[in-house]
Amino acid sequence: MATTTTGDDVLDFRAMPKIELHAHLTGSITRRCLHEIWRDKRAKGEAEDLEDPLVVMPEGRHDHDLTSFFPLFSSYIYRLINDLPSLRRSTKQVVHDFAADGVVYLELRTTPRGIPAAGLDKAGYVRAVLEAIAEAESEGAAAASAGGDGGGGEGGATTTTTTTRGSGIRVRLILSVDRRNSVDEAWEVLNLARTFMAGGEGAGGEKAGGVVGLDLCGDTAARCGQIAMFTPVMHAAREAGLQLTIHFAEAASTGTDEELQTILDWRPSRLGHVIHVPDRIKEQLIAYGRGGGEGEGEGEGGRRGQPIGLELCLSSNVQLKMIVGSFDVHHFGEWWRVQNGPVIMPCTDDVGVFESPLSNEWRLVQQYFELTRDDITLLGRKTIDVIFGGEADKERLREIMW
Ligand code: 6MZ
C-alpha cells in the first residue's frame, strides 16, 4: 500500500468514473428536489399539511442521530413523495444527480411502498421506479452522446455528464426488506424482486426489469435477536438468482454474534456499514475476502466464490454518530489496511440527508487514509468484481473506469 498523497490535486473526484453500490432511493432525494416538488404541489393546492422541506431539513444542517433519522421518512418524506408524478420525478432526479457527480454505475435500493390513495400498489411502485430509472438513463445517454447537459430533469440542478466520458449512467435496482417487516411482507418483496428481475421474464409474466438483489435495511432498533425469521426468504432469494446485500452490525444492538452469524449464513455478496463487528466475525469476513470459507452452488445468487464486498458509508456513520469519533477513526481505515481482504468501497447511503456526494466520500477516504492516486483507481476498479450487474455491465466498467 502506498502512503503518500498530495491532496485534492491527486484526482478530480467528480470527473472520476465511480460506482455507487449503497444508496437508498428516498434518502438520496436532495433537499432542493424535495423543496421543488413541495413548491409545485403547493401551487396546485396540494401538500397543504406539510412544511417546506427546506425548513424541516435546512440545507447544511446535519443533526440527526439514529433515533431521529428513521422517522424522517415516515413522518415527512413519504408524505410528500406520495403519488406517481412525485415518485417518478424524484427518482429521475436522483439518477441525474448521481450521473452529474460522475457515477457511471449505480445500484439504487428501495423498499416497495404501496400508496393506495394514489392507486399504487407495491408492484406499481416498483414498476414506476424502474420506468423512471430507464427514462433517466436514456436521457443521460442521449445528452452524453450529444456532449452536453445530462438531463437535469425537472426540479434539480442542471447536470453535465461529460465527466462520464460519453458513457452515461447505468442503474440496477435492489429491493429492500425493512427490518420492521413481517415475514409475509418480506416474501412479498421477494416476489416483486422475482417479477421484476433483471434479464428474465418474471414469475408474474412482467417483462424483464432491472432488479438484481435483495437488501435488509431499516431501523436498527427493530427485530434485534429475531432476524432468523427472514432466513427462508433470503435462501429463496439466492435460489432465484438474486444476490444479497445486508445492513450488517450497523448499531451495537444489531451486532450480536448470533445475529451476525445468521446473516453470514445467508451467504450475502455484500454487507453494508459493518461497524460493530467482533473479531471472530472479522476473521470470517477476511477469509471471505480471500474467496474462501464456503462452497458455492452454481446457478444461484450469492457470492459464487467471489470476495465479499463491504459498503462503507463514512458521512452517514459520522453524522448519525454511529461511530465514536470522526472520519479519522472510521473503520474504512482498518479494512483498508487488511491485505487481500474484502473489497471495500465508499458509499453515500442517503446523499439527500447527509449532503455528501460520492465524489466527496472518495475525497474523504483519500484525505483521512492517505490513499495515492494508484490506490484510489485500484480500489475503484476492484469494486467492479462485486457489483450485482451482469458480465456486460462489468465489461463496460472495465473499459471506462480509470
Ligand atoms: C438502515 C436505512 C438507512 O427504501 O424508501 N434506510 N436503513 N440504515 C440506514 N443508514 C443510516 N438509510 C435508509 O429509502 C428510505 C428507507 O431506507 C432505509 C430506511 O428504512 C428508510 O425508510 P426507500 O427508498
Side-chain angles (χ1 to χ4, degrees), residues 84-399:
L84 194 55
S86 57
L87 177 62
R88 290 174 58 87
R89 176 175 173 178
S90 56
T91 302
K92 284 178 65 175
Q93 191 60 51
V94 164
V95 173
H96 287 311
D97 289 344
F98 275 108
D101 190 45
V103 173
V104 290
Y105 177 85
L106 166 66
E107 285 179 13
L108 263 184
R109 57 188 72 192
T110 196
T111 323
R113 181 162 60 93
I115 312 176
L120 266 189
D121 59 9
K122 289 183 186 179
Y125 175 93
V126 176
R127 193 179 298 111
V129 167
L130 284 167
E131 283 171 5
I133 286 173
E135 257 179 57
E137 277 180 327
S138 53
E139 284 169 8
S145 60
D149 176 82
E154 321 96 302
T158 300
T159 61
T160 305
T161 49
T162 45
T163 52
T164 64
R165 301 201 283 185
S167 56
I169 186 169
R170 299 274 163 82
V171 187
R172 302 288 173 255
L173 191 64
I174 294 169
L175 295 188
S176 300
V177 173
D178 191 308
R179 292 176 71 97
R180 290 161 289 199
N181 282 169
S182 65
V183 175
D184 283 351
E185 287 167 312
W187 280 114
E188 207 184 341
V189 176
L190 171 58
N191 285 335
L192 289 169
R194 285 190 189 122
T195 303
F196 293 99
M197 207 166 138
E201 192 77 18
E206 293 276 352
K207 78 176 178 33
V211 176
V212 288
L214 220 61
D215 164 40
L216 180 69
C217 72
D219 192 338
T220 52
R223 303 267 183 228
C224 295
Q226 300 168 17
I227 213 77
M229 65 192 256
F230 296 119
T231 295
V233 180
M234 296 301 168
H235 285 175
R238 292 191 59 244
E239 273 158 30
L242 291 157
Q243 301 207 55
L244 303 180
T245 172
I246 307 292
H247 282 65
F248 190 76
E250 195 178 358
S253 55
T254 58
T256 63
D257 266 31
E258 204 184 344
E259 173 161 327
L260 299 184
Q261 191 59 55
T262 300
I263 292 173
L264 291 187
D265 292 344
W266 296 345
R267 296 192 198 170
S269 304
R270 299 199 309 256
L271 299 170
H273 296 285
V274 197
I275 304 173
H276 301 273
V277 186
D279 287 345
R280 187 182 70 75
I281 301 280
K282 273 187 196 156
E283 280 157 26
Q284 278 192 62
L285 295 182
I286 291 168
Y288 291 171
R290 297 183 176 139
E294 64 190 49
E296 290 289 326
E298 280 303 313
E300 292 180 352
R303 298 195 294 101
R304 299 193 176 103
Q306 287 188 353
I308 197 160
L310 307 185
E311 307 153 356
L312 305 179
C313 308
L314 283 84
S315 292
S316 164
N317 298 165
V318 169
Q319 285 186 32
L320 293 182
K321 305 166 207 60
M322 289 149 75
I323 60 167
V324 181
S326 190
F327 294 107
D328 52 334
V329 296
H330 192 275
H331 47 290
F332 188 99
E334 184 183 345
W335 286 110
W336 162 240
R337 285 183 285 274
V338 175
Q339 301 284 329
N340 296 321
V343 175
I344 58 170
M345 76 246 25
C347 300
T348 55
D349 204 12
D350 299 280
V351 63
V353 181
F354 306 122
E355 298 188 291
S356 174
L358 190 60
S359 55
N360 193 52
E361 295 298 296
W362 275 102
R363 190 188 60 74
L364 289 169
V365 300
Q366 187 243 324
Q367 178 183 336
Y368 284 96
F369 308 112
E370 304 191 332
L371 273 62
T372 63
R373 183 189 171 100
D374 284 352
D375 295 332
I376 288 166
T377 51
L378 192 67
L379 265 190
R381 291 186 69 85
K382 272 190 181 169
T383 306
I384 299 171
D385 291 340
V386 297
I387 68 166
F388 290 175
E391 213 28 61
D393 287 331
K394 290 183 179 169
E395 208 38 59
R396 168 182 167 266
L397 289 171
R398 285 186 199 110
E399 277 171 25

